[in-house]
Amino acid sequence: MAEVEWIHRHPKTEDLRVGLISWAGTYLSFEAFKSTITATAKSLCRRQTWELLVSNEHDAQAVVRLKSLQGLYLLCEADGTVCYGRPRTSHHGCFLLRFHRNGKWTLQCIISGRYLECDGEDVFCNSRVLSAYHMWTPRPALHVHVILYSPTYRSYARADHTVGRIWVDAPVPCLEECGFLLHFQDGCYHLETSTHHFLSHVDRLVPQRSSETAFYMQVRPRGLVALCDGEGGTLYPQGTHLLLGLGSSPTRDALVCAASERLTPMSLFQYESDSESLLLQLRSANGYLLAQRRHKSIIADGHFLESSTFFRVHWNCGKIILQSSNGCFLSVVSNGLLMANATIPGPNEELGIRFANRPFLILRGRYGYVGCSSDHDLIQCNRDQPDCIHLLPCNPGIYHFQAQGGSFWSITSFGTFRPWGKFALNFCIELQGSNLLTVLAPNGCYIRADRSGKLLADSGDITKECIWEF
């Protein structure tokens, strides 16, 4: 066999992270302390998340490796056992991935020709004869709050609640109507709009989730997905008005499921941030970046690699302070222009931020989603399915958190939270990356995820458990 070239790098948007669900409804998992692979987990967490590394893709199949979040690989040995570690040869750990019409995957070891399977608990590669036990359902490890993008038409989906339809005609996803929730239930997906309606098989929005709103997902490498009804129909833009509906003749790569973007109209800006360097770029509607120019003025004419387009971010109780490359802080001068002329930041250098396309938040932390459970009276941070946190804007950067029943989040003396408060409390949202944030609770502490499953506001500093994907 020819040598296969593998590129080792940090995950990028084209890399696909998935959970693999067996015929028994359990997830393929790596057990770090045993160096073994099992299929006993009932939910998708870090140990059930695999990065799909593709070396060759053609039509309905691809040569792949599965890499855990710890950096080790799924390996099939000569005796049929499955473990995880580092490949010893160029083909060790390589699988032929085949995509089936029902949305399921099969993984065949390149060296032995045997299929990856499980008995509901143990995982192995013994059989060369394909059966239902070799089928795996891919579940993208995406945040449930998504936008839908058609690479064919280069436009985004938006819900039109006046007519109960979804159109794929938005040039930028700047509206609340461009945000969707992608619920996973019993192997199917339900697409929910920002007003909590669901897309049905008859191409209309309905108020309740049912079998008529359930879609199967066809998943491909590079983050490409399509939603299907299981009977030959696929969701794709149709007609001159690009109505999102089921049809039998979609173009290839019908939809892309992506993380949230902040590309906005003329009065708004796209927030592009690096969570590691704390540097920020702001892109205006003309496609250019804000940049510091002569006489310390800020002009929207910058390009991506220009050092003058990068600003260092400082936060103060939900308000942002931007420091330019010359070391000065941005402030609004008397004529309304934005200038980089302050050597010491003060109230005039604090800028308020307001979400333009997020009427609610879905928060995912290190242990799962934030939500309520019938087994607990406190809000939990380890849920497999999330709850919507409706945002009621107060002052810039400050929001009231409203639960699904219309009540408000309340905080206890122990720093825990309940979802049935009568009075609205102030929460400060501070962005830590393009899709990451921290929340400063009313008690002055950052909200964090605790390993026990409790959501706590007891951190004076920002730790990894305080970072939330939204």
Side-chain angles (χ1 to χ4, degrees):
M1 285 187 177
E3 291 293 309
V4 180
E5 182 179 358
W6 297 95
I7 301 175
H8 298 278
R9 52 174 169 72
H10 294 294
K12 295 184 179 180
T13 55
E14 61 267 22
D15 294 327
L16 179 63
R17 289 183 174 182
V18 297
L20 293 176
I21 307 173
S22 72
W23 62 271
T26 54
Y27 287 84
L28 185 72
S29 308
F30 62 89
E31 305 292 344
F33 60 96
K34 296 180 181 178
S35 296
T36 58
I37 303 295
T38 63
T40 57
K42 296 293 186 179
S43 60
L44 178 59
C45 299
R46 291 180 60 82
R47 291 190 296 109
Q48 291 76 43
T49 300
W50 299 89
E51 184 181 343
L52 195 70
L53 301 180
V54 182
S55 66
N56 185 21
E57 181 186 3
H58 178 70
D59 199 16
Q61 63 186 33
V63 177
V64 302
R65 273 190 173 131
L66 291 176
K67 182 180 179 182
S68 74
L69 296 186
Q70 288 192 338
L72 300 178
Y73 295 83
L74 183 75
L75 304 175
C76 177
E77 303 299 349
D79 60 358
T81 59
V82 174
C83 61
Y84 84 106
R86 300 195 180 279
R88 296 187 295 272
T89 66
S90 63
H91 292 95
H92 192 206
C94 291
F95 292 87
L96 180 63
L97 169 63
R98 288 192 176 93
F99 313 111
H100 297 268
R101 289 178 61 87
N102 59 0
K104 297 185 184 296
W105 289 358
T106 53
L107 291 157
Q108 186 178 23
C109 177
I110 289 289
I111 298 176
S112 68
R114 298 174 177 140
Y115 290 97
L116 185 73
E117 62 178 303
C118 84
D119 58 8
E121 183 175 341
D122 296 322
V123 180
F124 42 87
C125 278
N126 285 339
S127 176
R128 293 187 176 93
V129 181
L130 188 62
S131 72
Y133 296 104
H134 303 125
M135 296 290 178
W136 298 86
T137 301
R139 179 184 176 184
L142 296 169
H143 192 281
V144 69
H145 200 171
V146 300
I147 57 173
L148 298 177
Y149 173 71
S150 169
T152 302
Y153 297 99
R154 297 184 179 181
S155 55
Y156 296 85
R158 65 173 180 89
D160 186 348
H161 302 99
T162 60
V163 295
R165 300 294 186 102
I166 295 179
W167 313 99
V168 189
D169 60 358
V172 290
C174 58
L175 304 173
E176 294 180 2
E177 291 81 3
C178 293
F180 297 88
L181 296 180
L182 198 60
H183 295 283
F184 181 77
Q185 182 180 12
D186 299 328
C188 295
Y189 289 85
H190 301 262
L191 191 64
E192 183 180 0
T193 70
S194 59
T195 59
H196 309 300
H197 289 77
F198 297 88
L199 181 64
S200 70
H201 290 181
V202 294
D203 310 336
R204 291 191 175 274
L205 299 179
V206 297
Q208 299 293 332
R209 191 188 313 185
S210 69
S211 60
E212 288 299 305
T213 67
F215 294 90
Y216 295 95
M217 181 179 285
Q218 295 277 357
V219 183
R220 296 291 188 271
R222 297 178 287 115
L224 299 175
V225 304
L227 295 175
C228 312
D229 64 356
E231 299 179 356
T234 301
L235 280 178
Y236 65 96
Q238 302 177 34
T240 57
H241 298 291
L242 300 180
L243 170 69
L244 184 63
L246 284 172
S248 57
S249 302
T251 55
R252 192 171 185 268
D253 301 341
L255 292 174
V256 173
C257 211
S260 175
E261 296 184 29
R262 292 162 192 83
L263 199 62
T264 60
M266 292 299 294
S267 61
L268 306 174
F269 295 90
Q270 179 179 341
Y271 188 103
E272 302 176 1
S273 175
D274 183 351
S275 59
E276 296 181 0
S277 65
L278 297 180
L279 294 178
L280 166 70
Q281 289 179 307
L282 292 172
R283 188 178 301 276
S284 65
N286 65 4
Y288 292 98
L289 297 165
L290 295 192
Q292 179 204 323
R293 296 307 187 199
R294 297 174 58 186
H295 308 296
K296 302 181 180 180
S297 60
I298 304 299
I299 306 295
D301 64 352
H303 297 276
F304 178 72
L305 296 179
E306 286 188 81
S307 61
S308 59
T309 64
F310 290 91
F311 299 90
R312 187 163 296 277
V313 178
H314 306 272
W315 287 96
N316 183 24
C317 297
K319 291 188 176 182
I320 193 171
I321 301 171
L322 300 178
Q323 187 175 18
S324 68
S325 56
N326 69 355
C328 293
F329 298 90
L330 272 61
S331 61
V332 180
V333 296
S334 57
N335 60 2
L337 294 178
L338 196 62
M339 305 285 289
N341 59 358
T343 56
I344 299 176
N348 197 44
E349 285 68 52
E350 294 179 351
L351 305 174
I353 281 186
R354 180 70 55 83
F355 286 120
N357 58 354
R358 290 301 176 91
F360 56 83
L361 287 180
I362 298 290
L363 297 181
R364 182 168 69 170
R366 290 179 63 83
Y367 310 114
Y369 286 103
V370 172
C372 298
S373 167
S374 58
D375 302 328
H376 302 87
D377 63 344
L378 300 175
I379 297 176
Q380 303 293 300
C381 64
N382 60 354
R383 306 295 298 160
D384 184 55
Q385 297 293 334
D387 287 348
C388 288
I389 306 169
H390 292 273
L391 296 178
L392 301 182
C394 186
N395 295 320
I398 299 177
Y399 291 87
H400 301 320
F401 282 9
Q402 189 175 38
Q404 288 179 305
S407 57
F408 296 96
W409 276 32
S410 65
I411 186 170
T412 70
S413 58
F414 300 102
T416 55
F417 295 92
R418 291 190 173 97
W420 51 69
K422 295 182 179 179
F423 305 102
L425 302 178
N426 292 339
F427 292 84
C428 297
I429 295 178
E430 301 178 353
L431 299 176
Q432 304 297 335
S434 291
N435 67 328
L436 303 175
L437 59 77
T438 53
V439 180
L440 197 62
N443 64 357
C445 296
Y446 285 98
I447 296 178
R448 69 175 180 88
D450 189 72
R451 189 178 295 272
S452 67
K454 292 181 181 179
L455 188 69
L456 293 172
D458 62 358
S459 180
D461 299 316
I462 297 176
T463 65
K464 290 183 178 180
E465 291 183 331
C466 298
I467 302 295
W468 301 95
E469 184 182 0
F470 72 100

mmCIF file of all heavy atoms in Angstrom, residues 76-97:
data_model
loop_
_atom_site.group_PDB
_atom_site.id
_atom_site.type_symbol
_atom_site.label_atom_id
_atom_site.label_comp_id
_atom_site.label_asym_id
_atom_site.label_seq_id
_atom_site.Cartn_x
_atom_site.Cartn_y
_atom_site.Cartn_z
ATOM 1 N N CYS A 76 -7.001 -0.851 15.847
ATOM 2 C CA CYS A 76 -7.446 -2.234 15.721
ATOM 3 C C CYS A 76 -6.212 -3.123 15.610
ATOM 4 O O CYS A 76 -5.368 -2.915 14.726
ATOM 5 C CB CYS A 76 -8.341 -2.391 14.495
ATOM 6 S SG CYS A 76 -8.890 -4.076 14.203
ATOM 7 N N GLU A 77 -6.111 -4.117 16.507
ATOM 8 C CA GLU A 77 -4.949 -5.002 16.520
ATOM 9 C C GLU A 77 -5.223 -6.253 15.689
ATOM 10 O O GLU A 77 -6.353 -6.537 15.285
ATOM 11 C CB GLU A 77 -4.594 -5.380 17.962
ATOM 12 C CG GLU A 77 -4.310 -4.191 18.867
ATOM 13 C CD GLU A 77 -3.136 -3.330 18.408
ATOM 14 O OE1 GLU A 77 -2.395 -3.760 17.504
ATOM 15 O OE2 GLU A 77 -2.956 -2.229 18.944
ATOM 16 N N ALA A 78 -4.159 -7.035 15.462
ATOM 17 C CA ALA A 78 -4.255 -8.207 14.588
ATOM 18 C C ALA A 78 -5.206 -9.268 15.130
ATOM 19 O O ALA A 78 -5.824 -10.017 14.353
ATOM 20 C CB ALA A 78 -2.860 -8.809 14.382
ATOM 21 N N ASP A 79 -5.338 -9.364 16.464
ATOM 22 C CA ASP A 79 -6.216 -10.381 17.052
ATOM 23 C C ASP A 79 -7.667 -9.916 17.150
ATOM 24 O O ASP A 79 -8.504 -10.623 17.723
ATOM 25 C CB ASP A 79 -5.710 -10.789 18.438
ATOM 26 C CG ASP A 79 -5.651 -9.620 19.410
ATOM 27 O OD1 ASP A 79 -5.961 -8.479 18.996
ATOM 28 O OD2 ASP A 79 -5.290 -9.837 20.583
ATOM 29 N N GLY A 80 -7.975 -8.725 16.617
ATOM 30 C CA GLY A 80 -9.343 -8.232 16.632
ATOM 31 C C GLY A 80 -9.680 -7.327 17.802
ATOM 32 O O GLY A 80 -10.776 -6.759 17.838
ATOM 33 N N THR A 81 -8.777 -7.193 18.768
ATOM 34 C CA THR A 81 -9.033 -6.307 19.893
ATOM 35 C C THR A 81 -8.904 -4.854 19.442
ATOM 36 O O THR A 81 -8.183 -4.536 18.496
ATOM 37 C CB THR A 81 -8.051 -6.569 21.049
ATOM 38 O OG1 THR A 81 -6.709 -6.364 20.575
ATOM 39 C CG2 THR A 81 -8.203 -7.993 21.574
ATOM 40 N N VAL A 82 -9.622 -4.001 20.152
ATOM 41 C CA VAL A 82 -9.612 -2.576 19.856
ATOM 42 C C VAL A 82 -9.127 -1.835 21.090
ATOM 43 O O VAL A 82 -9.609 -2.077 22.199
ATOM 44 C CB VAL A 82 -11.017 -2.079 19.447
ATOM 45 C CG1 VAL A 82 -11.019 -0.564 19.282
ATOM 46 C CG2 VAL A 82 -11.454 -2.752 18.153
ATOM 47 N N CYS A 83 -8.169 -0.950 20.904
ATOM 48 C CA CYS A 83 -7.627 -0.157 22.007
ATOM 49 C C CYS A 83 -7.403 1.248 21.483
ATOM 50 O O CYS A 83 -7.830 1.597 20.385
ATOM 51 C CB CYS A 83 -6.326 -0.767 22.534
ATOM 52 S SG CYS A 83 -5.019 -0.862 21.298
ATOM 53 N N TYR A 84 -6.721 2.065 22.275
ATOM 54 C CA TYR A 84 -6.344 3.365 21.742
ATOM 55 C C TYR A 84 -4.945 3.722 22.208
ATOM 56 O O TYR A 84 -4.500 3.353 23.284
ATOM 57 C CB TYR A 84 -7.375 4.436 22.078
ATOM 58 C CG TYR A 84 -7.277 5.098 23.431
ATOM 59 C CD1 TYR A 84 -6.795 6.393 23.543
ATOM 60 C CD2 TYR A 84 -7.688 4.441 24.588
ATOM 61 C CE1 TYR A 84 -6.713 7.021 24.774
ATOM 62 C CE2 TYR A 84 -7.613 5.061 25.819
ATOM 63 C CZ TYR A 84 -7.129 6.347 25.900
ATOM 64 O OH TYR A 84 -7.048 6.961 27.122
ATOM 65 N N GLY A 85 -4.227 4.399 21.321
ATOM 66 C CA GLY A 85 -2.834 4.748 21.569
ATOM 67 C C GLY A 85 -2.290 5.494 20.368
ATOM 68 O O GLY A 85 -3.016 6.230 19.695
ATOM 69 N N ARG A 86 -1.016 5.266 20.054
ATOM 70 C CA ARG A 86 -0.393 5.944 18.910
ATOM 71 C C ARG A 86 -0.092 4.912 17.822
ATOM 72 O O ARG A 86 0.419 3.834 18.108
ATOM 73 C CB ARG A 86 0.886 6.654 19.340
ATOM 74 C CG ARG A 86 0.629 7.713 20.404
ATOM 75 C CD ARG A 86 1.799 8.648 20.577
ATOM 76 N NE ARG A 86 1.515 9.638 21.610
ATOM 77 C CZ ARG A 86 0.794 10.728 21.426
ATOM 78 N NH1 ARG A 86 0.294 10.968 20.221
ATOM 79 N NH2 ARG A 86 0.573 11.574 22.415
ATOM 80 N N PRO A 87 -0.396 5.235 16.560
ATOM 81 C CA PRO A 87 -0.162 4.293 15.455
ATOM 82 C C PRO A 87 1.312 3.941 15.326
ATOM 83 O O PRO A 87 2.188 4.795 15.461
ATOM 84 C CB PRO A 87 -0.661 5.055 14.219
ATOM 85 C CG PRO A 87 -1.586 6.110 14.760
ATOM 86 C CD PRO A 87 -1.045 6.484 16.099
ATOM 87 N N ARG A 88 1.563 2.660 15.038
ATOM 88 C CA ARG A 88 2.938 2.192 14.886
ATOM 89 C C ARG A 88 3.396 2.233 13.433
ATOM 90 O O ARG A 88 4.599 2.253 13.160
ATOM 91 C CB ARG A 88 3.058 0.764 15.427
ATOM 92 C CG ARG A 88 2.799 0.648 16.925
ATOM 93 C CD ARG A 88 3.107 -0.758 17.423
ATOM 94 N NE ARG A 88 2.204 -1.749 16.851
ATOM 95 C CZ ARG A 88 1.028 -2.073 17.381
ATOM 96 N NH1 ARG A 88 0.613 -1.478 18.496
ATOM 97 N NH2 ARG A 88 0.264 -2.978 16.802
ATOM 98 N N THR A 89 2.452 2.208 12.494
ATOM 99 C CA THR A 89 2.775 2.289 11.075
ATOM 100 C C THR A 89 1.833 3.296 10.421
ATOM 101 O O THR A 89 0.899 3.799 11.043
ATOM 102 C CB THR A 89 2.621 0.921 10.383
ATOM 103 O OG1 THR A 89 1.230 0.546 10.396
ATOM 104 C CG2 THR A 89 3.441 -0.151 11.098
ATOM 105 N N SER A 90 2.053 3.550 9.158
ATOM 106 C CA SER A 90 1.252 4.559 8.457
ATOM 107 C C SER A 90 -0.205 4.133 8.299
ATOM 108 O O SER A 90 -1.090 4.974 8.141
ATOM 109 C CB SER A 90 1.857 4.851 7.080
ATOM 110 O OG SER A 90 1.834 3.690 6.274
ATOM 111 N N HIS A 91 -0.487 2.802 8.334
ATOM 112 C CA HIS A 91 -1.855 2.327 8.163
ATOM 113 C C HIS A 91 -2.462 1.800 9.456
ATOM 114 O O HIS A 91 -3.633 1.413 9.465
ATOM 115 C CB HIS A 91 -1.907 1.235 7.090
ATOM 116 C CG HIS A 91 -1.604 1.743 5.714
ATOM 117 N ND1 HIS A 91 -0.347 1.680 5.158
ATOM 118 C CD2 HIS A 91 -2.386 2.352 4.786
ATOM 119 C CE1 HIS A 91 -0.368 2.199 3.948
ATOM 120 N NE2 HIS A 91 -1.591 2.632 3.695
ATOM 121 N N HIS A 92 -1.693 1.769 10.513
ATOM 122 C CA HIS A 92 -2.219 1.326 11.809
ATOM 123 C C HIS A 92 -3.239 2.358 12.298
ATOM 124 O O HIS A 92 -2.942 3.542 12.415
ATOM 125 C CB HIS A 92 -1.067 1.207 12.809
ATOM 126 C CG HIS A 92 -1.462 0.500 14.064
ATOM 127 N ND1 HIS A 92 -0.830 0.711 15.274
ATOM 128 C CD2 HIS A 92 -2.430 -0.421 14.316
ATOM 129 C CE1 HIS A 92 -1.372 -0.046 16.193
ATOM 130 N NE2 HIS A 92 -2.348 -0.755 15.642
ATOM 131 N N GLY A 93 -4.437 1.910 12.564
ATOM 132 C CA GLY A 93 -5.483 2.829 13.008
ATOM 133 C C GLY A 93 -6.277 3.459 11.879
ATOM 134 O O GLY A 93 -7.119 4.319 12.134
ATOM 135 N N CYS A 94 -6.025 3.039 10.638
ATOM 136 C CA CYS A 94 -6.783 3.561 9.506
ATOM 137 C C CYS A 94 -8.032 2.712 9.263
ATOM 138 O O CYS A 94 -7.980 1.473 9.328
ATOM 139 C CB CYS A 94 -5.928 3.564 8.240
ATOM 140 S SG CYS A 94 -4.576 4.743 8.267
ATOM 141 N N PHE A 95 -9.136 3.382 8.971
ATOM 142 C CA PHE A 95 -10.395 2.699 8.690
ATOM 143 C C PHE A 95 -10.966 3.224 7.383
ATOM 144 O O PHE A 95 -10.822 4.404 7.046
ATOM 145 C CB PHE A 95 -11.408 2.943 9.811
ATOM 146 C CG PHE A 95 -11.042 2.299 11.122
ATOM 147 C CD1 PHE A 95 -10.234 2.966 12.031
ATOM 148 C CD2 PHE A 95 -11.507 1.031 11.437
ATOM 149 C CE1 PHE A 95 -9.898 2.387 13.238
ATOM 150 C CE2 PHE A 95 -11.171 0.437 12.646
ATOM 151 C CZ PHE A 95 -10.367 1.116 13.547
ATOM 152 N N LEU A 96 -11.627 2.308 6.660
ATOM 153 C CA LEU A 96 -12.398 2.714 5.496
ATOM 154 C C LEU A 96 -13.803 3.049 5.982
ATOM 155 O O LEU A 96 -14.552 2.177 6.431
ATOM 156 C CB LEU A 96 -12.447 1.603 4.455
ATOM 157 C CG LEU A 96 -13.250 1.923 3.181
ATOM 158 C CD1 LEU A 96 -12.627 3.087 2.426
ATOM 159 C CD2 LEU A 96 -13.348 0.688 2.282
ATOM 160 N N LEU A 97 -14.136 4.318 5.937
ATOM 161 C CA LEU A 97 -15.439 4.795 6.385
ATOM 162 C C LEU A 97 -16.395 4.818 5.196
ATOM 163 O O LEU A 97 -16.127 5.461 4.184
ATOM 164 C CB LEU A 97 -15.308 6.197 6.979
ATOM 165 C CG LEU A 97 -16.597 6.970 7.256
ATOM 166 C CD1 LEU A 97 -17.453 6.254 8.295
ATOM 167 C CD2 LEU A 97 -16.278 8.389 7.722
#
